[in-house]
Amino acid sequence: MRTSSTDISGKKLEVNIEKDQVQRSNCSHSRGRISVVGIGPGSLEHLTPKARSEIENADVIVGYGTYVKLIQSIIKPGAEVVSGTMGREVERAQIALSKALENYRVVVVSSGDPGVYGMAGIVLEVVETEKANMPVEIVPGVTAATAAASRLGAPLVSDFAVISLSDLLTPWEKIERRLEAAASADFAIVLYNPKSEGRIEPLTRAYEIMLKHMSPNTPAGIVRQAGREGEEVIVTTLKDLLAAEIDMVSTIIVGNSATKVVNGRMVTARGYDLLS
Amino acid sequence: MRTSSTDISGKKLEVNIEKDQVQRSNCSHSRGRISVVGIGPGSLEHLTPKARSEIENADVIVGYGTYVKLIQSIIKPGAEVVSGTMGREVERAQIALSKALENYRVVVVSSGDPGVYGMAGIVLEVVETEKANMPVEIVPGVTAATAAASRLGAPLVSDFAVISLSDLLTPWEKIERRLEAAASADFAIVLYNPKSEGRIEPLTRAYEIMLKHMSPNTPAGIVRQAGREGEEVIVTTLKDLLAAEIDMVSTIIVGNSATKVVNGRMVTARGYDLLS
C-alpha cells in the first residue's frame, strides 16, 4: 500500500506500509502507539491536561495545518510534524499508522472532539484495514457544538441534533432526511460545515427545510472561531439566518420551540418552574 | 423571593434575594459574578485549564454533591461549598445569584458540559427573572456524549442526536417523537438518563422505537463513569441492549446503519475510500 501526503512546507511525503512492517510490530513489544486527540475550540485554556500531555510527549504530530498551528507552542522540540490540507484524512491516518509502526508515539490532532467529524473513526478503520495490532487511544475534547453553545448562552440544554451540511461523504438525500426529521421533532439543531467548498446551496436548502417545520422567529446563533482570536458571535432568528455572515468554519445553532433570547443570549427553557 | 437548599452537611440554607439587593448590584461596580463551569467526565485530566482556574478562584462553589466531590481537591481553602441533591436546580441557581449579589465570585459546577442538560440555562433564566444585571460566563467542558464515545471508539463521527429519556421536564410524547425521528433518519443516537428515578419503562419504549427503524444488529454501547474510577464500557448490539447492566448514570450510544465493530470498538464509517 502506498500513499503520499505533503508536510507543512508543502514537501511531498511518501508513505509505505509494508506487510512485514505490520507483522514485525504485531510480534514485538513496540512503544509505538497512536493517540487521536481533540484540541477543543482552539485556545490552550480549553485544551484538557490529558490532551496537552499527549501532545507534549509525542514524537510525531499529524494533523491539518490550521489545527497544528494552534498547538505549535506545546509541541516537543525535535518532534516531527506531518501536516497537510483538508480532505486528506485517509492519508493522514495512514501516515500516523506508518510512523507508529516505526515505534514512534504518534498524536493525530483534530479540532474540537476527534470523535465528532474528526479523525477518530478513520484512524481506527485504517488500523483495522492494515491488520495492525496498534494501540489507539481516543482523547476527547470540548466539541465545537458545545463551545459555540457556551458563547451563545444555553441553546443545547435540552435534546439536540448535530448535522453536517457537507455532502462530500454523506449523500445529500440523507442529509435532507435528517434535517426534516430534526426540524419536525423539535430538536435544537447544530449545523457543521454550513458552506463546505464555498457552496451556499446546502445552507439555503437546510434553511427552507427548517422553515417548513419551525417558527421563523426561532432564535438562531452563529459562532466563528469560538474561543479563538477573531471570535464572532451573532444571535439572530431562523428567518434572518441567511442575512448573517457565514463561512465554512462557522457553527450554526438553531433553537427549538422552547428557545428564547434572554439578555441577548439564547436559552432553551427546560420547563423548570421558576416561581416555585 | 425565598428559597432554601441544604449544604453538603445537610444543613438547611436560607436564601433571600431582596429587591434592593438586586438594585444595589445593578448600580455598583460589584466583583460578584457567576461562572457556570463544565467539569468534564469527572477526572481532573479532562478538566480544562479555564474550568480549573474558575474553580480555584471561586469564593463560592454551588453544585450537586457528587460533582463537587470530583473537584474537591482544587477548591480554594475557605471557599464556601453549597452542595445539594439532584432535582434542586432552580434553588441552586437562585443561591448562586444570591451569593454573587453579595459580591462573591460564584462557580456553579455541572458534570460534562454545563450547556448539555446542565445548569447553564437555568442560571441564565434565574438572572433574567430576577432582573439582576449579573455577569454570567458559561465555561464549556468535555460533554458526556463525546467522553462516552471516546471510550467506545468513534460512534458519533457522523451526524447524531442527543436525547434524554427523563420525562421530568419534557413530556414523554415529545421524547417519543424525537426517538422516532432520530431512528428513522439514521442518526446515531445518544441516550442520557436511561433510567431516571429507577424507571425501566422509558428505556424499554425507546428500545422498541429504535428497533422499528433500525437493524437489531446495529452496534450499541454503554458507558458508566467514563474516565472515572469504576469505569465500565460495554459494546453490544441494539437487540441485546436491555440485557446489559444500565443505570441512571450510564450513557448509551446506538450507532447508525454505517456503524460497525472494529477490534471490539464501535466505528461509524463516514464513507472514506480506504483503497485509494
Side-chain angles (χ1 to χ4, degrees), chain B residues 16-72:
Chain B
N16 296 285
I17 303 178
E18 303 294 347
K19 264 220 174 71
D20 63 330
Q21 192 186 11
V22 171
Q23 280 162 1
R24 263 199 320 277
S25 159
N26 288 349
C27 303
S28 70
H29 292 283
S30 165
R31 73 184 281 276
R33 55 191 292 269
I34 304 174
S35 293
V36 191
V37 168
I39 63 170
S43 76
L44 296 182
E45 70 177 359
H46 295 298
L47 181 75
T48 69
K50 170 69 174 167
R52 184 176 182 123
S53 146
E54 292 290 330
I55 293 165
E56 286 172 339
N57 291 306
D59 304 315
V60 180
I61 302 276
V62 179
Y64 173 49
T66 308
Y67 307 151
V68 171
K69 274 183 202 140
L70 293 167
I71 47 132
Q72 196 81 56

Short mmCIF file of all heavy atoms in Angstrom, two decimals, chain B residues 16-72:
data_model
loop_
_atom_site.label_atom_id
_atom_site.label_comp_id
_atom_site.label_asym_id
_atom_site.label_seq_id
_atom_site.Cartn_x
_atom_site.Cartn_y
_atom_site.Cartn_z
N ASN B 16 -32.45 34.48 50.45
CA ASN B 16 -33.37 35.59 50.18
C ASN B 16 -32.74 36.49 49.14
O ASN B 16 -31.62 36.95 49.32
CB ASN B 16 -33.60 36.42 51.44
CG ASN B 16 -34.29 35.59 52.50
OD1 ASN B 16 -35.47 35.33 52.43
ND2 ASN B 16 -33.52 35.16 53.49
N ILE B 17 -33.44 36.67 48.04
CA ILE B 17 -32.95 37.67 47.08
C ILE B 17 -33.89 38.86 47.20
O ILE B 17 -35.05 38.81 46.78
CB ILE B 17 -32.93 37.12 45.65
CG1 ILE B 17 -32.06 35.85 45.61
CG2 ILE B 17 -32.38 38.16 44.69
CD1 ILE B 17 -31.99 35.20 44.25
N GLU B 18 -33.43 39.90 47.84
CA GLU B 18 -34.26 41.07 48.07
C GLU B 18 -34.16 42.01 46.88
O GLU B 18 -33.13 42.12 46.24
CB GLU B 18 -33.81 41.82 49.33
CG GLU B 18 -33.79 40.97 50.60
CD GLU B 18 -35.19 40.53 51.03
OE1 GLU B 18 -36.18 41.07 50.50
OE2 GLU B 18 -35.28 39.62 51.87
N LYS B 19 -35.24 42.71 46.63
CA LYS B 19 -35.29 43.65 45.52
C LYS B 19 -34.16 44.68 45.62
O LYS B 19 -33.49 44.97 44.65
CB LYS B 19 -36.65 44.39 45.52
CG LYS B 19 -37.68 43.79 44.59
CD LYS B 19 -38.48 44.91 43.88
CE LYS B 19 -39.42 44.35 42.83
NZ LYS B 19 -40.57 43.64 43.42
N ASP B 20 -33.94 45.22 46.82
CA ASP B 20 -32.93 46.28 46.92
C ASP B 20 -31.52 45.70 46.77
O ASP B 20 -30.60 46.38 46.37
CB ASP B 20 -33.07 47.07 48.23
CG ASP B 20 -32.84 46.19 49.44
OD1 ASP B 20 -33.14 44.97 49.33
OD2 ASP B 20 -32.36 46.70 50.46
N GLN B 21 -31.37 44.41 47.08
CA GLN B 21 -30.08 43.74 46.86
C GLN B 21 -29.77 43.72 45.36
O GLN B 21 -28.68 44.04 44.92
CB GLN B 21 -30.17 42.32 47.42
CG GLN B 21 -28.85 41.59 47.52
CD GLN B 21 -29.04 40.13 47.95
OE1 GLN B 21 -30.14 39.61 47.99
NE2 GLN B 21 -27.94 39.48 48.26
N VAL B 22 -30.79 43.37 44.56
CA VAL B 22 -30.62 43.35 43.11
C VAL B 22 -30.32 44.76 42.62
O VAL B 22 -29.41 44.98 41.82
CB VAL B 22 -31.89 42.80 42.42
CG1 VAL B 22 -31.80 42.99 40.92
CG2 VAL B 22 -32.09 41.34 42.77
N GLN B 23 -31.07 45.74 43.12
CA GLN B 23 -30.86 47.11 42.64
C GLN B 23 -29.48 47.64 43.00
O GLN B 23 -28.81 48.25 42.19
CB GLN B 23 -31.95 48.04 43.21
CG GLN B 23 -33.24 47.91 42.43
CD GLN B 23 -34.44 48.45 43.18
OE1 GLN B 23 -34.31 48.92 44.30
NE2 GLN B 23 -35.60 48.36 42.56
N ARG B 24 -29.05 47.35 44.23
CA ARG B 24 -27.70 47.78 44.64
C ARG B 24 -26.67 47.23 43.68
O ARG B 24 -25.79 47.94 43.21
CB ARG B 24 -27.39 47.28 46.05
CG ARG B 24 -27.65 48.29 47.15
CD ARG B 24 -26.90 47.93 48.44
NE ARG B 24 -26.87 46.51 48.77
CZ ARG B 24 -27.86 45.87 49.40
NH1 ARG B 24 -28.96 46.51 49.73
NH2 ARG B 24 -27.73 44.60 49.69
N SER B 25 -26.81 45.94 43.37
CA SER B 25 -25.83 45.31 42.49
C SER B 25 -25.83 45.97 41.12
O SER B 25 -24.79 46.18 40.50
CB SER B 25 -26.15 43.82 42.35
OG SER B 25 -25.56 43.32 41.19
N ASN B 26 -27.02 46.33 40.64
CA ASN B 26 -27.10 46.91 39.30
C ASN B 26 -26.42 48.28 39.24
O ASN B 26 -26.00 48.72 38.20
CB ASN B 26 -28.56 47.05 38.88
CG ASN B 26 -29.17 45.69 38.57
OD1 ASN B 26 -28.44 44.71 38.47
ND2 ASN B 26 -30.48 45.65 38.41
N CYS B 27 -26.33 48.97 40.38
CA CYS B 27 -25.78 50.31 40.39
C CYS B 27 -24.30 50.33 40.73
O CYS B 27 -23.59 51.27 40.40
CB CYS B 27 -26.51 51.18 41.42
SG CYS B 27 -28.28 51.23 41.09
N SER B 28 -23.80 49.30 41.41
CA SER B 28 -22.43 49.37 41.91
C SER B 28 -21.48 48.62 40.99
O SER B 28 -21.89 47.87 40.11
CB SER B 28 -22.38 48.75 43.30
OG SER B 28 -22.57 47.35 43.17
N HIS B 29 -20.20 48.83 41.20
CA HIS B 29 -19.21 48.08 40.44
C HIS B 29 -18.81 46.86 41.26
O HIS B 29 -17.76 46.82 41.89
CB HIS B 29 -18.00 48.95 40.12
CG HIS B 29 -18.35 50.04 39.16
ND1 HIS B 29 -18.51 49.81 37.82
CD2 HIS B 29 -18.63 51.33 39.37
CE1 HIS B 29 -18.85 50.94 37.22
NE2 HIS B 29 -18.93 51.89 38.14
N SER B 30 -19.68 45.90 41.28
CA SER B 30 -19.51 44.69 42.08
C SER B 30 -18.45 43.79 41.45
O SER B 30 -18.28 43.76 40.23
CB SER B 30 -20.84 43.96 42.13
OG SER B 30 -20.66 42.66 42.57
N ARG B 31 -17.75 43.02 42.28
CA ARG B 31 -16.91 41.96 41.72
C ARG B 31 -17.70 40.66 41.64
O ARG B 31 -17.20 39.65 41.17
CB ARG B 31 -15.62 41.78 42.53
CG ARG B 31 -15.80 41.13 43.90
CD ARG B 31 -14.48 41.09 44.67
NE ARG B 31 -13.61 40.00 44.24
CZ ARG B 31 -13.68 38.74 44.68
NH1 ARG B 31 -14.61 38.38 45.53
NH2 ARG B 31 -12.82 37.84 44.27
N GLY B 32 -18.91 40.65 42.12
CA GLY B 32 -19.73 39.45 42.07
C GLY B 32 -19.95 39.00 40.64
O GLY B 32 -20.20 39.81 39.74
N ARG B 33 -19.81 37.72 40.40
CA ARG B 33 -20.05 37.16 39.07
C ARG B 33 -20.33 35.67 39.22
O ARG B 33 -20.01 35.06 40.23
CB ARG B 33 -18.87 37.41 38.14
CG ARG B 33 -17.54 36.90 38.65
CD ARG B 33 -16.37 37.40 37.82
NE ARG B 33 -16.38 36.82 36.50
CZ ARG B 33 -15.75 35.67 36.18
NH1 ARG B 33 -15.04 35.02 37.09
NH2 ARG B 33 -15.79 35.18 34.97
N ILE B 34 -20.92 35.14 38.17
CA ILE B 34 -21.22 33.70 38.17
C ILE B 34 -20.55 33.06 36.95
O ILE B 34 -20.67 33.56 35.83
CB ILE B 34 -22.74 33.44 38.08
CG1 ILE B 34 -23.49 34.16 39.23
CG2 ILE B 34 -23.04 31.94 38.11
CD1 ILE B 34 -25.01 34.05 39.13
N SER B 35 -19.84 31.98 37.18
CA SER B 35 -19.38 31.13 36.08
C SER B 35 -20.08 29.79 36.19
O SER B 35 -20.09 29.20 37.27
CB SER B 35 -17.87 30.87 36.17
OG SER B 35 -17.14 32.02 35.95
N VAL B 36 -20.63 29.35 35.10
CA VAL B 36 -21.24 28.02 35.08
C VAL B 36 -20.25 27.12 34.34
O VAL B 36 -19.98 27.32 33.15
CB VAL B 36 -22.61 28.02 34.39
CG1 VAL B 36 -23.31 26.69 34.62
CG2 VAL B 36 -23.47 29.16 34.90
N VAL B 37 -19.67 26.18 35.07
CA VAL B 37 -18.46 25.50 34.62
C VAL B 37 -18.71 24.02 34.38
O VAL B 37 -19.27 23.34 35.25
CB VAL B 37 -17.36 25.70 35.69
CG1 VAL B 37 -16.17 24.79 35.45
CG2 VAL B 37 -16.91 27.16 35.74
N GLY B 38 -18.28 23.54 33.24
CA GLY B 38 -18.34 22.11 32.95
C GLY B 38 -17.08 21.43 33.42
O GLY B 38 -15.98 21.84 33.04
N ILE B 39 -17.23 20.39 34.24
CA ILE B 39 -16.03 19.74 34.78
C ILE B 39 -15.63 18.51 33.97
O ILE B 39 -14.68 17.82 34.30
CB ILE B 39 -16.20 19.36 36.27
CG1 ILE B 39 -17.32 18.33 36.48
CG2 ILE B 39 -16.46 20.60 37.11
CD1 ILE B 39 -17.35 17.74 37.88
N GLY B 40 -16.34 18.27 32.84
CA GLY B 40 -15.99 17.11 32.02
C GLY B 40 -16.46 15.82 32.68
O GLY B 40 -17.27 15.85 33.61
N PRO B 41 -15.95 14.68 32.19
CA PRO B 41 -16.47 13.40 32.67
C PRO B 41 -16.15 13.12 34.14
O PRO B 41 -16.77 12.25 34.74
CB PRO B 41 -15.81 12.38 31.75
CG PRO B 41 -14.64 13.07 31.14
CD PRO B 41 -15.00 14.53 31.08
N GLY B 42 -15.19 13.80 34.72
CA GLY B 42 -15.01 13.59 36.16
C GLY B 42 -13.59 13.64 36.67
O GLY B 42 -13.32 14.22 37.69
N SER B 43 -12.65 13.03 35.93
CA SER B 43 -11.28 13.05 36.42
C SER B 43 -10.63 14.38 36.02
O SER B 43 -10.98 14.99 35.01
CB SER B 43 -10.49 11.88 35.85
OG SER B 43 -10.15 12.14 34.53
N LEU B 44 -9.68 14.82 36.83
CA LEU B 44 -9.08 16.14 36.60
C LEU B 44 -8.33 16.21 35.27
O LEU B 44 -8.10 17.30 34.75
CB LEU B 44 -8.16 16.51 37.76
CG LEU B 44 -8.85 16.70 39.12
CD1 LEU B 44 -7.84 17.11 40.19
CD2 LEU B 44 -9.97 17.73 39.04
N GLU B 45 -7.95 15.06 34.71
CA GLU B 45 -7.18 15.11 33.46
C GLU B 45 -8.04 15.58 32.27
O GLU B 45 -7.51 15.93 31.23
CB GLU B 45 -6.50 13.77 33.16
CG GLU B 45 -7.43 12.65 32.78
CD GLU B 45 -6.69 11.37 32.42
OE1 GLU B 45 -5.45 11.35 32.43
OE2 GLU B 45 -7.37 10.38 32.11
N HIS B 46 -9.36 15.56 32.47
CA HIS B 46 -10.23 16.06 31.40
C HIS B 46 -10.87 17.40 31.75
O HIS B 46 -11.77 17.86 31.06
CB HIS B 46 -11.32 15.03 31.08
CG HIS B 46 -10.78 13.75 30.50
ND1 HIS B 46 -10.10 13.71 29.31
CD2 HIS B 46 -10.80 12.48 30.97
CE1 HIS B 46 -9.74 12.47 29.06
NE2 HIS B 46 -10.13 11.70 30.05
N LEU B 47 -10.39 18.02 32.82
CA LEU B 47 -10.88 19.35 33.23
C LEU B 47 -10.06 20.41 32.51
O LEU B 47 -8.83 20.42 32.63
CB LEU B 47 -10.72 19.50 34.74
CG LEU B 47 -11.19 20.80 35.39
CD1 LEU B 47 -12.72 20.84 35.46
CD2 LEU B 47 -10.60 20.94 36.79
N THR B 48 -10.69 21.31 31.78
CA THR B 48 -9.91 22.30 31.03
C THR B 48 -9.23 23.29 31.99
O THR B 48 -9.73 23.53 33.10
CB THR B 48 -10.79 23.09 30.06
OG1 THR B 48 -11.68 23.94 30.80
CG2 THR B 48 -11.59 22.19 29.14
N PRO B 49 -8.11 23.89 31.57
CA PRO B 49 -7.45 24.90 32.41
C PRO B 49 -8.38 26.06 32.75
O PRO B 49 -8.33 26.59 33.86
CB PRO B 49 -6.28 25.37 31.53
CG PRO B 49 -6.02 24.25 30.60
CD PRO B 49 -7.34 23.58 30.35
N LYS B 50 -9.22 26.46 31.82
CA LYS B 50 -10.17 27.55 32.09
C LYS B 50 -11.13 27.17 33.21
O LYS B 50 -11.37 27.95 34.14
CB LYS B 50 -10.93 27.86 30.79
CG LYS B 50 -12.11 28.80 30.92
CD LYS B 50 -11.70 30.22 31.24
CE LYS B 50 -12.92 31.14 31.21
NZ LYS B 50 -12.59 32.45 31.82
N ALA B 51 -11.68 25.95 33.14
CA ALA B 51 -12.62 25.49 34.17
C ALA B 51 -11.89 25.38 35.51
O ALA B 51 -12.40 25.80 36.55
CB ALA B 51 -13.22 24.14 33.77
N ARG B 52 -10.68 24.84 35.47
CA ARG B 52 -9.90 24.68 36.70
C ARG B 52 -9.64 26.02 37.36
O ARG B 52 -9.81 26.19 38.57
CB ARG B 52 -8.58 23.97 36.38
CG ARG B 52 -7.78 23.68 37.62
CD ARG B 52 -6.51 22.88 37.33
NE ARG B 52 -5.86 22.61 38.60
CZ ARG B 52 -5.56 21.40 39.05
NH1 ARG B 52 -5.80 20.35 38.32
NH2 ARG B 52 -5.00 21.24 40.23
N SER B 53 -9.23 26.98 36.56
CA SER B 53 -8.92 28.30 37.10
C SER B 53 -10.17 28.96 37.71
O SER B 53 -10.10 29.60 38.76
CB SER B 53 -8.29 29.13 35.98
OG SER B 53 -8.64 30.46 36.08
N GLU B 54 -11.31 28.80 37.08
CA GLU B 54 -12.55 29.35 37.64
C GLU B 54 -12.84 28.73 39.01
O GLU B 54 -13.22 29.42 39.95
CB GLU B 54 -13.73 29.11 36.69
CG GLU B 54 -13.67 29.89 35.39
CD GLU B 54 -13.90 31.40 35.59
OE1 GLU B 54 -14.62 31.78 36.52
OE2 GLU B 54 -13.32 32.19 34.81
N ILE B 55 -12.67 27.41 39.09
CA ILE B 55 -12.96 26.71 40.36
C ILE B 55 -11.97 27.14 41.45
O ILE B 55 -12.35 27.45 42.57
CB ILE B 55 -12.92 25.18 40.14
CG1 ILE B 55 -14.09 24.75 39.24
CG2 ILE B 55 -12.96 24.43 41.47
CD1 ILE B 55 -13.96 23.35 38.67
N GLU B 56 -10.68 27.18 41.06
CA GLU B 56 -9.65 27.54 42.04
C GLU B 56 -9.85 28.93 42.62
O GLU B 56 -9.46 29.22 43.75
CB GLU B 56 -8.26 27.43 41.40
CG GLU B 56 -7.81 25.99 41.20
CD GLU B 56 -6.52 25.88 40.39
OE1 GLU B 56 -6.18 26.85 39.66
OE2 GLU B 56 -5.87 24.83 40.46
N ASN B 57 -10.41 29.83 41.82
CA ASN B 57 -10.56 31.22 42.25
C ASN B 57 -11.95 31.55 42.81
O ASN B 57 -12.23 32.71 43.10
CB ASN B 57 -10.23 32.16 41.09
CG ASN B 57 -8.75 32.11 40.74
OD1 ASN B 57 -7.90 32.31 41.59
ND2 ASN B 57 -8.44 31.79 39.49
N ALA B 58 -12.78 30.55 42.94
CA ALA B 58 -14.16 30.82 43.39
C ALA B 58 -14.21 31.05 44.89
O ALA B 58 -13.54 30.37 45.67
CB ALA B 58 -15.05 29.65 43.00
N ASP B 59 -15.05 32.01 45.29
CA ASP B 59 -15.38 32.19 46.71
C ASP B 59 -16.46 31.21 47.14
O ASP B 59 -16.52 30.79 48.29
CB ASP B 59 -15.90 33.61 46.95
CG ASP B 59 -14.93 34.68 46.47
OD1 ASP B 59 -13.72 34.55 46.75
OD2 ASP B 59 -15.38 35.64 45.81
N VAL B 60 -17.34 30.92 46.20
CA VAL B 60 -18.48 30.04 46.49
C VAL B 60 -18.60 29.02 45.36
O VAL B 60 -18.57 29.39 44.18
CB VAL B 60 -19.80 30.84 46.60
CG1 VAL B 60 -20.97 29.90 46.91
CG2 VAL B 60 -19.70 31.94 47.65
N ILE B 61 -18.73 27.76 45.72
CA ILE B 61 -18.96 26.69 44.75
C ILE B 61 -20.35 26.13 44.98
O ILE B 61 -20.70 25.75 46.10
CB ILE B 61 -17.95 25.53 44.94
CG1 ILE B 61 -16.50 26.01 44.82
CG2 ILE B 61 -18.26 24.37 43.98
CD1 ILE B 61 -15.96 26.09 43.43
N VAL B 62 -21.15 26.10 43.92
CA VAL B 62 -22.51 25.58 44.03
C VAL B 62 -22.65 24.39 43.10
O VAL B 62 -22.30 24.49 41.91
CB VAL B 62 -23.55 26.66 43.63
CG1 VAL B 62 -24.97 26.11 43.72
CG2 VAL B 62 -23.40 27.91 44.49
N GLY B 63 -23.12 23.28 43.59
CA GLY B 63 -23.28 22.13 42.71
C GLY B 63 -23.85 20.92 43.39
O GLY B 63 -23.85 20.82 44.63
N TYR B 64 -24.31 20.01 42.59
CA TYR B 64 -24.79 18.70 43.05
C TYR B 64 -23.62 17.99 43.74
O TYR B 64 -22.48 18.01 43.24
CB TYR B 64 -25.29 17.97 41.81
CG TYR B 64 -25.68 16.52 41.99
CD1 TYR B 64 -26.53 16.12 43.01
CD2 TYR B 64 -25.22 15.57 41.09
CE1 TYR B 64 -26.89 14.79 43.15
CE2 TYR B 64 -25.59 14.24 41.21
CZ TYR B 64 -26.42 13.85 42.25
OH TYR B 64 -26.78 12.54 42.37
N GLY B 65 -23.89 17.40 44.90
CA GLY B 65 -22.84 16.85 45.75
C GLY B 65 -21.84 15.93 45.05
O GLY B 65 -20.63 16.05 45.24
N THR B 66 -22.34 15.03 44.20
CA THR B 66 -21.46 14.08 43.51
C THR B 66 -20.41 14.79 42.66
O THR B 66 -19.25 14.36 42.59
CB THR B 66 -22.31 13.17 42.58
OG1 THR B 66 -23.36 12.61 43.36
CG2 THR B 66 -21.48 12.07 41.98
N TYR B 67 -20.82 15.90 42.01
CA TYR B 67 -19.88 16.62 41.15
C TYR B 67 -18.89 17.43 41.96
O TYR B 67 -17.70 17.52 41.61
CB TYR B 67 -20.63 17.54 40.17
CG TYR B 67 -21.70 16.83 39.37
CD1 TYR B 67 -22.82 17.51 38.92
CD2 TYR B 67 -21.58 15.48 39.06
CE1 TYR B 67 -23.81 16.87 38.19
CE2 TYR B 67 -22.57 14.83 38.34
CZ TYR B 67 -23.68 15.52 37.91
OH TYR B 67 -24.65 14.89 37.19
N VAL B 68 -19.39 18.02 43.06
CA VAL B 68 -18.50 18.82 43.91
C VAL B 68 -17.37 17.93 44.45
O VAL B 68 -16.21 18.35 44.50
CB VAL B 68 -19.29 19.48 45.05
CG1 VAL B 68 -18.34 20.11 46.06
CG2 VAL B 68 -20.24 20.53 44.49
N LYS B 69 -17.70 16.69 44.81
CA LYS B 69 -16.67 15.79 45.34
C LYS B 69 -15.55 15.55 44.32
O LYS B 69 -14.39 15.41 44.68
CB LYS B 69 -17.30 14.44 45.74
CG LYS B 69 -17.86 14.48 47.15
CD LYS B 69 -18.42 13.12 47.57
CE LYS B 69 -19.42 13.31 48.70
NZ LYS B 69 -20.60 12.47 48.60
N LEU B 70 -15.91 15.53 43.04
CA LEU B 70 -14.92 15.24 42.00
C LEU B 70 -13.87 16.35 41.88
O LEU B 70 -12.76 16.11 41.41
CB LEU B 70 -15.61 15.05 40.64
CG LEU B 70 -16.51 13.81 40.52
CD1 LEU B 70 -17.38 13.89 39.27
CD2 LEU B 70 -15.67 12.53 40.49
N ILE B 71 -14.23 17.56 42.30
CA ILE B 71 -13.29 18.69 42.17
C ILE B 71 -12.86 19.22 43.53
O ILE B 71 -12.21 20.27 43.63
CB ILE B 71 -13.91 19.83 41.33
CG1 ILE B 71 -15.35 20.14 41.82
CG2 ILE B 71 -13.96 19.48 39.87
CD1 ILE B 71 -15.63 21.57 42.05
N GLN B 72 -13.22 18.49 44.59
CA GLN B 72 -12.92 18.90 45.98
C GLN B 72 -11.46 19.35 46.14
O GLN B 72 -11.18 20.34 46.80
CB GLN B 72 -13.21 17.71 46.90
CG GLN B 72 -13.32 18.05 48.37
CD GLN B 72 -14.70 18.62 48.71
OE1 GLN B 72 -15.71 17.99 48.45
NE2 GLN B 72 -14.71 19.81 49.28
#
